[in-house]
Amino acid sequence: MEKIELSQIDPTFQSKSETREDVESETEKYLSRMFNLLYKMNAQSQWSLLIILQGIDASGKDGTVTHLFSGANPQGMRVHSFKEPSKEELMHDFLWRCHVEVPQRGETVIFNRSYYEEVTTVKVHKDLLKSQNLPSKLLSKGIFEKRYQSIVDFEKLLVESGTKVLKFFLHISKKEQKKRFEERLKNPEKKWKFSKGDLKERKYWDEYMDVFTQMINRTHSEHAPWYVIPADKKWYRNYAVSKIIVDELESLKMSFPKSGKGDD
């Protein structure tokens, strides 16, 4: 597969042939189609959908979650946001806390961050490995290469069990991140999302772009490809994510069961 270079992808990209109004109109159509497809998936209860959202701080993960929920029946969709691992989670393998949250048949689950933090944030801040109680002999230079392979194998297991895995990297510019941080500080409804740690992590921007690029290329596969979404423009981000989800779900050629025992 062709290598992906984040530095070569424009975070401000949009189709020059369409206006924002046109794109937002198309997005609404995709949301309507997505609702029907997810409803069909829930009724059939054979396939499931796992949506993984990754990106640097303020890249729009929460906003994407809100957007997707506007196009789905909440009964068949849930979101799990992965924060700093708990003591219990640190006593298991790095995939454990995510594996227990994957969707059951007919369900859609959105991971707001995921096990990919273990090959990005942990790779930038290698001291975090010390808190994972791993045997010292396993803390070798090859630990992240092994984690990449474990992730590829894990996603293959999910796919072979009927879970469609869609991975979105929300790609924003450093300038846009600064703008969004400033907006959070000015908006009382968003100020709670800002922390001094955000500014500290911003200093590692180049390191993060490097590990994100490595993450995408090492875990991009035919069964679970990465989609890099230009995300400076929220309206274009929503359009791109919606279109990909609809196209991928339609490829499953799902159908409603001929009979069943519904509650209503």
Side-chain angles (χ1 to χ4, degrees), residues 18 21-37 67 70-72 238-239 242-247 250:
E18 295 180 298
E21 185 179 38
D22 291 335
V23 169
E24 289 181 335
S25 177
E26 285 297 304
T27 302
E28 289 302 313
K29 294 177 183 178
Y30 277 117
L31 284 176
S32 178
R33 289 164 64 184
M34 185 171 72
F35 180 93
N36 292 329
L37 286 162
H67 169 70
S70 70
N238 292 341
Y239 163 77
S242 301
K243 183 180 187 304
I244 291 168
I245 292 174
V246 168
D247 289 346
E250 287 183 338

Side-chain angles (χ1 to χ4, degrees), residues 83-107:
K83 307 297 183 182
E84 183 178 342
S86 66
K87 289 183 178 180
E88 179 186 15
E89 290 168 343
L90 288 172
M91 295 303 289
H92 293 270
D93 66 87
F94 77 96
L95 290 170
W96 179 79
R97 68 173 183 157
C98 296
H99 199 168
V100 297
E101 297 294 343
V102 299
Q104 62 185 19
R105 303 192 195 287
E107 186 182 32

Side-chain angles (χ1 to χ4, degrees), residues 10 32 47-48 68-69 83 90 105-106 114 119-120 128 134 142 159 167 175 197 205 215 241 244 254-255:
D10 182 6
S32 178
W47 296 97
S48 59
L68 293 177
F69 263 93
K83 307 297 183 182
L90 288 172
R105 303 192 195 287
S114 66
V119 291
T120 53
L128 292 175
L134 292 167
V159 171
K167 305 183 298 192
K175 179 180 178 181
W205 179 275
M215 169 197 79
V241 171
I244 291 168
M254 297 178 290
S255 61

Side-chain angles (χ1 to χ4, degrees), residues 108-124:
T108 297
V109 172
I110 304 173
F111 279 1
N112 186 339
R113 299 185 186 274
S114 66
Y115 40 82
Y116 281 104
E117 295 299 307
E118 295 293 331
V119 291
T120 53
T121 301
V122 175
K123 198 169 185 179
V124 171

Side-chain angles (χ1 to χ4, degrees), residues 45 58 112 141 143 155 172 185 207 241 252:
S45 293
N112 186 339
K141 291 183 179 179
I143 186 171
E155 291 174 346
I172 65 169
L185 287 171
E207 288 90 336
V241 171
L252 299 179

Side-chain angles (χ1 to χ4, degrees), residues 15 22 25 32 43 54-55 60 98 100 104 115 130 133-134 136-137 149 168-169 180 184 204 222 241:
S15 174
D22 291 335
S25 177
S32 178
Q54 290 289 151
C98 296
V100 297
Q104 62 185 19
Y115 40 82
K130 297 177 182 178
N133 302 307
L134 292 167
S136 58
K137 66 182 295 184
Q149 189 58 51
F168 298 100
F169 181 80
R180 294 182 185 182
R184 287 179 180 182
Y204 295 95
E222 290 186 7
V241 171

